[in-house]
Amino acid sequence: MKGFIAVFDSGVGGISVLREMVRLMPNEDFLYYGDSKNAPYGTRTTEEVRALTVEHTEDFLTRGAKAVAIACNTATSAAARVLRQMHPEVPLVGIEPALKPAVEKYPTGRVLVLATPMTVREEKFLKLLNRFGGNADVIPLAAPGLMEFVERGELDSPDLRKFLMELLAVYRVGGSHQVDAVVLGCTHYPFVAQVIGEVLGDGVEIFDGSYGTAKELKRRLSEAGLANPAEHSGSVTFENSAPTKERMALCEKLMIS
Ligand code: DGL
């Protein structure tokens, strides 16, 4: 497969971004690679995540990828800058928490940013906060343990609800720190967005950056003259570093969810 777009995540979460990309670019061939064997990334060191992301990206390029999308907030904050330096000629997009649209909509509101421990402690997030936080009360909240529900295919269960109830108790409608909006700063979380919304309560708006990232990839591809012609019908191939039958079936299921 030559001239494909590699979409990378620590596991199955980036499929939330891939779905948007396929909708926007149905003529492209996508290779989705999930590194479930080494997941979660969010509780690893920055150096470990950087090394894993660089290693996989090198492999995609060797195999003929024409563009790379890092569909993982954690890997983006660890490695996007160094990868752009290493391969300035390759269209490479990453993803970051959709703080900007959330603050635009709630300029003086309270905005919760749910992400991995690494994403919220990285310099990239602090820069994002300085740039787009404005006068909003932005609360970064690490949610270690949440991505594992999605990796297991557990998208709604009593255990998931209990986990989220405990994590989000004070931010719920009626809680001491009730929020106006929540930003899903990890690509696994859109798959449990409905439960997150139900736990937080009516009126709390959910933001996620998948569509913005897909749009940016489309723009970068056409700018580089790399978009496939309209008559080409695109494809999606799933690969995973721990490709059990259950996990590969989960990839297909999440893709159409
Ligand atoms: N999907 C990843 C993200 O967007 C992180 C999950 C993990 O901890 O591996 O941040």
Side-chain angles (χ1 to χ4, degrees):
M1 188 163 68
K2 279 268 173 197
F4 60 94
I5 298 169
V7 182
F8 176 70
D9 178 45
S10 61
V12 298
I15 296 170
S16 62
V17 188
L18 176 69
R19 287 189 300 198
E20 301 293 339
M21 291 174 170
V22 171
R23 260 177 227 144
L24 264 183
M25 292 163 276
N27 311 112
E28 298 299 335
D29 296 312
F30 292 93
L31 169 71
Y32 181 89
Y33 189 94
D35 191 14
S36 296
K37 188 175 83 178
N38 294 304
Y41 275 16
T43 47
R44 286 181 174 274
T45 66
T46 307
E47 291 69 29
E48 283 173 330
V49 174
R50 185 176 299 135
L52 287 165
T53 309
V54 168
E55 180 191 320
H56 288 295
T57 304
E58 291 300 331
D59 183 51
F60 303 142
L61 295 173
T62 306
R63 291 167 66 184
K66 65 178 178 181
V68 177
I70 304 176
C72 174
N73 294 261
T74 309
T76 299
S77 49
R81 198 170 51 180
V82 54
L83 281 169
R84 286 196 184 104
Q85 282 163 0
M86 291 166 74
H87 300 285
E89 75 293 353
V90 177
L92 188 139
V93 300
I95 186 164
E96 60 185 19
L99 185 62
K100 184 172 179 249
V103 171
E104 268 167 15
K105 180 96 184 269
Y106 300 96
T108 56
R110 185 174 285 147
V111 177
L112 187 68
V113 181
L114 215 50
T116 69
M118 209 189 102
T119 298
V120 296
R121 76 159 186 262
E122 274 301 303
E123 194 194 334
K124 192 168 194 308
F125 181 72
L126 300 178
K127 283 190 180 153
L128 188 76
L129 199 57
N130 279 337
R131 189 151 171 228
F132 299 118
N135 293 321
D137 178 12
V138 179
I139 304 172
L141 181 65
L146 182 51
M147 72 80 84
E148 285 87 336
F149 283 93
V150 178
E151 284 292 303
R152 287 195 295 271
E154 198 175 328
L155 307 184
D156 191 352
S157 69
D159 281 352
L160 174 64
R161 283 177 189 266
K162 183 165 172 274
F163 176 94
L164 288 170
M165 280 286 191
E166 283 167 12
L167 181 74
L168 303 173
V170 297
Y171 307 110
R172 304 174 61 205
V173 171
S176 58
H177 290 70
Q178 175 173 335
V179 296
D180 298 293
V182 58
V183 175
L184 305 182
C186 167
T187 55
H188 281 72
Y189 304 166
F191 292 116
V192 289
Q194 191 173 333
V195 184
I196 291 173
E198 284 169 22
V199 167
L200 284 173
D202 273 352
V204 177
E205 191 167 348
I206 298 179
F207 290 83
D208 102 68
S210 321
Y211 178 69
T213 299
K215 245 179 35 188
E216 175 63 7
L217 175 64
K218 186 173 183 184
R219 191 187 70 76
R220 295 287 305 277
L221 270 190
S222 57
E223 190 181 77
L226 288 171
N228 276 351
E231 61 274 14
H232 181 86
S233 68
S235 63
V236 174
T237 305
F238 289 108
E239 288 184 10
N240 194 287
S241 54
T244 59
K245 225 172 101 200
E246 294 73 21
R247 183 163 288 117
M248 299 323 283
L250 178 61
C251 290
E252 304 283 349
K253 179 183 155 191
L254 294 177
M255 188 64 195
I256 54 169
S257 66

